[in-house]
């Protein structure tokens, strides 16, 4: 099948035998486009192209790389409304969220354009007479990238931009559900003046294209974002292969938001509702566990329900929609399954959780808020990845902190309080890669490190200047003068 949206291999749009339909979750009658589904052969061709392009690209000047990244940034930012619309149409987040994410992709490219010029090294006196020591950074080589469906343009951007900035070549396999935004991004970067083969796009199944990428002997590193179960397979394959690959994993979360008695109620409710339910709760940083102190508990729950009554779940592209649909049927089934599990465990469904009918057929779910739950229940321990959150009541700050940390995940952790003492203690003691005070656990800047600890992340951080830890390799040179 000759899909109109093809894979990019060696600088050419390459036809593929198979194709898949990209469906709009707000209206399942709307086909966003037909996208190529790559084969193992396509993947092998893409890696060969990257390998051929690497010697020249890795020796380009910082200025040459700056110009490509800056031009890409300019086009992404100039077209962010159109790109945001495509993103919302294929993923289901609201138009404002889609445009915001597209803008973020443009800002990431601007940041890493600057990083091209900032990569320095060190000159260190040797302990031996007459010897000089230099510490420099070099590109890693060919980077394989595997991305999830929930940030269709930002995650490809925050992997591709640093990889190119530091002189690597790339083969990216975006999520099968949302290939459109990654396709548009790759098209922009290629036209920004990238030599052929430096960036290759192979859309398709994880079990086919993704697996072949993990197993390819010429790929030096894998940057993966997705679920814990796939991440574990990715890491295993990277270590088991010969040669071993450098690997970076960003995975799931069960992010706590603590609300203390002394919190500003309005701030806490906004942080909770925004963090748990916006973007349909489909964020790895979503505040899915709300840990609330007894003295504010009832007022918080009441105010959160009032706030939830004011949200509008509808077509992502419609004006006035505040929460779009769930991404597809299988994710909707998973959300409904967890709503049932929480009920069976004795949780009280305080608001929502029912399917909604709208003008067009789509995966519409009223956000679900559970109360009377404990941290031992499955609803507190497993990532749902939808608009479902639960409240755990605690007696004091010490119990709140213990419950917040009692999880296998460690991505983002938040606290709402007016106590400087508790905020300071929480920042130091929360077992998470990111800590938020009086803010939702989701919503981060693009120029600082992003990532977690425990079961949420593995390997060096992404984003900001810290991205160089993964996308460069350090060399120590000794010279006798
Ligand atoms: P997923 O693990 O199902 O898929 C992620 C990617 O891996 C997709 O491109 C998929 O095709 C590919 N894949 C699947 N099987 C593979 C295999 N055997 N070999 C190679 N590749 C394979 O995850 P998803 O459902 O797309 O995304 C949701 C998950 O992503 C959630 O757990 C969420 O928390 C996580 N996520 C994490 C972050 C973060 O930065 N920590 C950000 C966004 C999403």
């Amino acid at each position: 099948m000759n899909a109109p949206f093809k894979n990019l291999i060696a600088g050419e749009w390459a036809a593929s035998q198979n194709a898949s339909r990209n469906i709009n979750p707000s209206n399942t009658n709307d086909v966003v486009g037909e996208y190529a589904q790559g084969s193992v052969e396509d993947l092998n061709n893409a890696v060969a192209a990257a390998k051929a392009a690497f010697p020249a690209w890795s020796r380009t000047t910082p200025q040459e790389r700056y110009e490509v990244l800056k031009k890409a940034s300019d086009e992404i930012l100039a077209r962010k409304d159109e790109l945001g619309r495509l993103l919302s149409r294929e993923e289901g987040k609201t138009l404002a969220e889609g445009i915001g994410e597209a803008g973020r992709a443009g800002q990431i490219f601007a940041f890493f354009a600057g990083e091209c010029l900032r990569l320095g090294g060190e000159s260190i006196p040797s302990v031996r007479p007459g010897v000089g020591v230099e510490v420099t950074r070099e590109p890693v080589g060919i980077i394989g990238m595997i991305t999830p469906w929930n940030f269709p343009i930002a995650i490809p951007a925050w992997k591709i931009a640093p990889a190119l900035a530091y002189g690597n070549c790339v083969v990216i396999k975006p999520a099968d559900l949302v290939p459109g935004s990654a396709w548009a991004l790759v098209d922009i970067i290629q036209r920004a003046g990238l030599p052929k083969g430096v960036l290759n796009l192979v859309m398709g199944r994880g079990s086919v294209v993704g697996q072949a990428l993990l197993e390819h002997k010429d790929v030096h590193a894998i940057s993966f974002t997705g679920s814990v179960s796939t991440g574990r397979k990715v890491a295993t394959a990277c270590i088991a292969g010969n040669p071993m690959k450098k690997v970076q994993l960003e995975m799931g979360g069960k992010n706590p938001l603590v609300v203390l008695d002394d919190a500003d109620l309005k701030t806490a409710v906004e942080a909770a509702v925004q963090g748990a339910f916006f973007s349909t709760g489909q964020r790895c940083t979503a505040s899915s566990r709300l840990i609330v102190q007894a003295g504010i508990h009832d007022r918080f729950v009441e105010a959160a329900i009032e706030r939830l009554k004011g949200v509008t779940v509808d077509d992502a592209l419609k004006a006035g929609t505040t929460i779009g649909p769930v991404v597809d049927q299988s994710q909707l089934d998973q959300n409904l399954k967890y709503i049932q599990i929480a009920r069976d465990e004795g949780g009280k469904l305080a608001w929502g959780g029912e399917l909604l009918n709208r003008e067009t057929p789509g995966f519409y779910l009223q956000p679900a808020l559970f109360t009377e739950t404990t941290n031992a229940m499955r609803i507190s321990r497993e990532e749902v990845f939808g608009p479902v959150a639960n409240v755990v009541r605690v007696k004091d700050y010490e119990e709140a902190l213990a419950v917040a940390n009692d999880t296998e995940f460690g991505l983002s952790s938040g606290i709402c309080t007016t106590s400087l003492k508790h905020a300071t203690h929480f920042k130091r003691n929360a077992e998470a890669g990111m800590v938020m005070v009086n803010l939702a656990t989701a919503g981060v800047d693009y120029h600082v490190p992003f990532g977690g600890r425990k079961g949420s992340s593995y390997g060096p951080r992404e984003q900001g200047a810290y991205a160089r830890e993964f996308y460069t390799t350090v060399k120590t040179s000794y010279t006798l003068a």
Side-chain angles (χ1 to χ4, degrees), residues 145-151 155 158-159 173-177 204-214 224-231 233-234 249-253 282-285 331 383 385 409 411 434 450-452 456-457 462:
M145 299 174 177
I146 299 174
T147 56
W149 50 260
N150 65 328
F151 283 93
I155 294 181
W158 80 51
K159 293 185 191 300
K173 190 216 87 67
D176 346 8
L177 265 182
R205 302 275 301 278
S207 56
V208 178
V209 178
Q211 193 64 35
L213 189 57
L214 299 179
F224 168 84
T225 303
S227 62
V228 176
S229 61
T230 312
K233 285 187 210 157
V234 168
L249 311 173
E250 287 299 342
M251 300 170 288
Q282 296 172 156
R283 291 186 283 193
C284 50
T285 48
Q331 187 59 52
E383 185 182 47
F385 217 55
F409 297 105
L411 190 55
M434 295 173 291
F450 175 93
S456 292
S457 296
E462 298 202 80

